[in-house]
Structure formats: C-alpha cells, structure tokens
C-alpha cells in the first residue's frame, strides 16, 4: 500500500478547530438571519506573487482534501465551543451534523499559477463553505510557498538531486507538510521519517558531527559508521580537517565509498579540492554532497562545481524568504434565496489599498502562442471561448462532498515539471522580475 493513501490524521480530534473564531460567529449570524443556506461560491487566489517571483506553484491540494474529509465537530470539539460560549445552542446543534456536501474545483496539485488565478473554488451553502476558509488557506499558503522555493532550487540544481533537510527548522507538523511540498517542487528525498511514512517520500541520512565527536577519534567514528552502514555510506568530512578526513574516509571505506558530505566552509573551493583528492585516491565514483544554509542562489553559484547533490533546510521550509503566498478566500457569487438551483449573482469587495476582488464564478485557461509556449493566463466568468475549452485549468476535486481526485504524490511532482517546462524560458531565471505570464480577464 502506498503510505500516501493512508490519509493519517494529525494528532487532534479533527480539523474543525483549525479555523478562526469569526468563521463560527459568521455562521451563527447567518443562521439567525436566514441567509446561511444560500448557495455560495468562494474562490482562493492571490493578488500578487511574492516580490521578484515569476510564477507560483500549487501545493497542498491533497492535504486540503484530507482536511475537508476530517472537518467534523465531534463531542470534544462541541464541548469546547459550548464551554467557551463561542456560539449559541442552535449553532452547536447545526455543527454537530456538519459535513461538507458541496463541490470543490481547483488547479491540480503541481500546476503553476499567477496573480488572479482561481487556484481553488468552493461551492455549497454559505454555512458549509465559509467554515473551510482558514484551514484551506493555512494549507495552501504554507505548502505553495515551500513548493515555489523548491521549484526554484530544482531549476538551479539542474539534474543534481536535492535533499529536504528542514525538519529541525520548523514546527514538527509543518516539517512533514514542507517535505511533501518540496517533493512536489522537485526535491528527490527527505530526512524526515514522518514524511516518508505518511507520503512515501524516499528518506536519507547517515550521521551528524555529534557522531564523530562521540568517538575518541575521527578514524574510530568513520570505522564505526562503515562497519554499521557499509562502504556505500556518506561520511561527514568537515568536523576537523577536510583533507585529512577525506583521505581517512577512502582508506577505511575503500574506493567504493558512497559519498562525502561537506557542511561548512567555502563550498565552491572545497568541492573542487575534494573532487581532485577523491580522484587521486581512486574514489572516482564517490559523490560529493554539500549542505550549509543553501538557497537557490547558493545552489546556482555551485553549478560549475563538482557537486553531486544538495541538502537544503532552513531556506526551503521558510519559502526562501517568502513563507506565505498571500492567498485569500473570497465570496465571489451567491444566490438571493435558498435552493441548490437558485441563480447566482456576482459579488465583490470594493476597497482601497489594492484589496478589491473580482466577482463571479470563474474559469481559467492558459493560452499558448504559435510555438505552444504559454503566453497568458486567461480568467473569465462567462462562456469559455471555443479555442480555450480544451485548455481549462480547473478540475473537480470534490463532488457532492465526496473526494473524486485523490492521486499519488508523484503525479503532482510530474505535473509540476511539465507545467514549468511549458512556460517561457524566462520563468526559470533567478533574477528578479514580473510574473512570466500576464493575467487577462474576460
């Protein structure tokens, strides 16, 4: 069984309290006013990309689907709400039977997005859809930020593999989500075992400096590791003197030594010196792995170095300077009366300060140029033009409350590589710039 199919719950009774209090007070007010059951459409989008970024990456969709399924107000949750007098008895009674029974559409996980892209669309009654706002934004904002950073690092790394190593730099549950998002963005493995268990991501890791310092000598430490893990292991060579450690590593493990890891110092200079030394010692197939506060720019600077793999932690799990995507969840259409067939009318926030929204239930498509390269993100509310019908981006994720689009994580990873490759070449430049595609509204 693929571990991704287990849909393991987080260590709380449900996901229902992963929300802000005002979601429940709005619900209570709508139940009292008689507007709670009006058909409504909410959309997730961002008004802008983080400064300098050329595209965004949709990640966390699979986790959103799990969260929606687990969004239940069980007895413990209801007791908490009652004890704190957060909502009244009538609202508690309504929440006791809560199940999301609406529809969710969205960009499939791994797809790229741009300002205004309707990344996710949630349709149902106001009461059932408004409650999902916070948990959906929490997941998408975090995971998409990490995936975007991972994608840029993947571009910088080229064909060289990337190892996610950020578990110790963030919250323990965020670390699992970050490893998942990094895999979508192009990383090949993780150091985090929980991520490996939950999402079937390959895990790697051998030893830290503490293992070397534990032993009476570096030689003893290397010998113990090779005896335990075999000659194909990765030995950490920068605890004391790198050149001495490399010579000792090959002496102990032989020319079949799997890899050496460098975690400090001038990585560019050291990588060249270590490669030359390994080759001279006959360890021509021994790989060099570098770590030490890498980001996409540091990785790019090592493109000409004899490096075989990169390990990235802090900068990855914090979105490489942009830990959120600033996605919002806005009501864009609603009915004037109850009923699943009640006609919708557009609604929009009109605001100064750049916080206005565009009303109407939207579709989105990506228009290619004559060479098949994407040239615009087209977003509309009316009929889809015939030439764009087959290029629509939103797919149905939930139908009538039932998840209909769960997929292996590898599918999202492959989709992202394909979506990124279909963008103009300037999308992968690390220099600052505007979104690589304009958003056109019809």
């Amino acid at each position: 069984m693929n571990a991704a199919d287990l849909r393991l719950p987080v260590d709380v009774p449900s996901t229902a309290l992963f929300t802000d209090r005002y979601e429940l007070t709005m619900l209570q007010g709508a139940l009292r006013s008689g507007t709670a059951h009006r058909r409504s459409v909410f959309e997730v989008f961002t008004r802008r990309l983080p400064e300098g970024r050329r595209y965004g990456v949709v990640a966390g969709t699979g986790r959103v689907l799990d969260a929606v399924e687990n969004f239940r107000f069980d007895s413990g949750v209801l007791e908490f709400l009652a004890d704190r007098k957060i909502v009244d008895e009538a609202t508690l009674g309504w929440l006791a039977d809560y199940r999301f029974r609406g529809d969710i559409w969205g960009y499939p996980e791994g797809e790229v997005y741009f300002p205004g892209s309707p990344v996710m669309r949630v349709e149902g009654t106001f009461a059932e859809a408004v409650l999902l706002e916070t948990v959906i934004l929490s997941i998408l904002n975090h995971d998409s930020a990490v995936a975007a950073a991972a994608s840029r690092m993947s571009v910088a790394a080229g064909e060289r593999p990337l190892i996610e190593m950020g578990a110790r730099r963030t919250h323990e549950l965020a670390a699992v989500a970050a490893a998942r998002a990094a895999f979508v963005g192009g990383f090949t493995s993780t150091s985090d075992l929980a991520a490996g268990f939950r999402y079937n991501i390959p895990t790697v890791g051998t030893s830290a400096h503490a293992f070397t310092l534990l032993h009476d000598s570096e030689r003893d430490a290397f010998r113990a590791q090779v005896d335990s893990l075999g000659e194909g292991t990765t030995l950490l060579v920068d605890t004391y003197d790198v050149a001495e450690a490399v010579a000792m590593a090959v002496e102990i493990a032989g020319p079949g030594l799997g890899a050496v890891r460098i975690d400090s110092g001038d990585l560019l200079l050291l990588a060249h010196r270590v490669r030359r030394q390994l080759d001279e010692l006959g360890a021509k197939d021994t790989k060099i792995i570098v770590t030490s506060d890498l980001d996409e720019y540091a990785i790019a600077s090592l493109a000409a170095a004899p490096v075989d793999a990169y390990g990235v932690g802090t900068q990855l799990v914090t979105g490489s300077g942009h830990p959120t995507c600033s996605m919002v969840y806005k009501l864009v259409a609603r009915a004037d009366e109850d009923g699943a067939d009640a006609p919708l009318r557009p609604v929009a926030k009109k605001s100064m300060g750049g916080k206005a929204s565009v009303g109407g239930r939207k579709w989105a498509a990506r228009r290619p140029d004559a060479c098949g390269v994407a040239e615009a993100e087209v977003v509309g509310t009316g009929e889809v033009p015939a030439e764009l019908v087959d290029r629509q981006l939103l797919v149905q994720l939930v139908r009538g409350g039932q998840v209909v689009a769960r997929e292996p994580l590898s599918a999202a990873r492959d989709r992202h590589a394909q979506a990124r490759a279909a963008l103009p070449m300037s999308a992968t430049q690390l220099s600052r710039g505007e979104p690589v595609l304009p958003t056109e509204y019809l």
Side-chain angles (χ1 to χ4, degrees), residues 44-74:
V44 176
F45 62 93
T46 186
R47 296 182 176 93
R48 64 191 66 84
L49 297 180
E51 183 181 359
R53 295 288 172 88
R54 306 286 179 104
Y55 61 91
V57 181
V58 178
T61 308
R63 295 207 310 119
V64 167
L65 299 180
D66 291 344
V68 171
E69 285 188 329
N70 291 326
F71 205 91
R72 305 282 188 269
F73 292 84
D74 58 28

Side-chain angles (χ1 to χ4, degrees), residues 21 30 33 88 142 168 227 252 275 283 309 344-345 381 389 400:
R21 178 168 174 155
S33 71
D88 59 22
H142 172 269
R168 63 190 60 192
D227 287 347
I252 291 171
R275 182 71 270 159
L344 294 169
R345 66 180 179 92
T381 56
V389 168

Side-chain angles (χ1 to χ4, degrees), residues 240-265:
Y240 304 118
D241 181 271
V242 172
E244 289 182 7
V246 170
M248 195 182 308
V250 176
E251 177 189 341
I252 291 171
L257 173 63
V260 295
R261 178 163 74 95
I262 308 170
D263 188 50
S264 59

Side-chain angles (χ1 to χ4, degrees), residues 379-390:
V379 177
T381 56
E383 185 176 350
V384 182
E387 67 273 15
L388 296 177
V389 168
D390 293 333

Side-chain angles (χ1 to χ4, degrees), residues 67 85 89 109 149 240 340 349 419:
K85 295 181 171 53
E89 287 296 326
E109 191 159 17
Y240 304 118
K349 176 181 179 180

Side-chain angles (χ1 to χ4, degrees), residues 7-29:
R7 303 197 302 276
L8 298 175
V10 291
D11 294 328
V12 293
S14 75
T15 54
L17 291 184
F18 288 168
T19 191
D20 292 308
R21 178 168 174 155
Y22 79 171
E23 312 291 9
L24 300 186
T25 54
M26 283 193 290
L27 168 66
Q28 177 176 302

Side-chain angles (χ1 to χ4, degrees), residues 146 164 174-184 187 189-190 192 195 201 317 409:
V146 173
E164 186 279 316
V176 181
R180 183 187 183 282
F183 189 75
V184 171
F187 275 58
S189 58
T190 179
D192 190 87
I201 301 170
V317 299
L409 194 59

Side-chain angles (χ1 to χ4, degrees), residues 157-235:
E159 297 300 317
R160 298 170 179 176
L162 290 157
I163 308 164
E164 186 279 316
M165 303 172 62
R168 63 190 60 192
R169 301 297 188 221
T170 188
H171 184 278
E172 65 272 18
L173 293 180
V176 181
R180 183 187 183 282
F183 189 75
V184 171
F187 275 58
T188 55
S189 58
T190 179
S191 66
D192 190 87
L193 289 177
F197 175 70
R198 294 189 181 199
Y199 300 117
N200 203 28
I201 301 170
T203 60
V204 297
T206 53
S207 68
H209 294 103
F211 186 78
T212 301
L213 296 170
L214 168 68
H215 291 80
D216 295 338
S217 69
E218 191 169 44
R219 178 179 295 275
D220 289 343
F222 285 1
R223 171 59 65 191
Q225 184 173 327
V226 171
D227 287 347
S228 174
L229 300 177
E231 67 177 20
T233 190
T234 298
L235 293 174

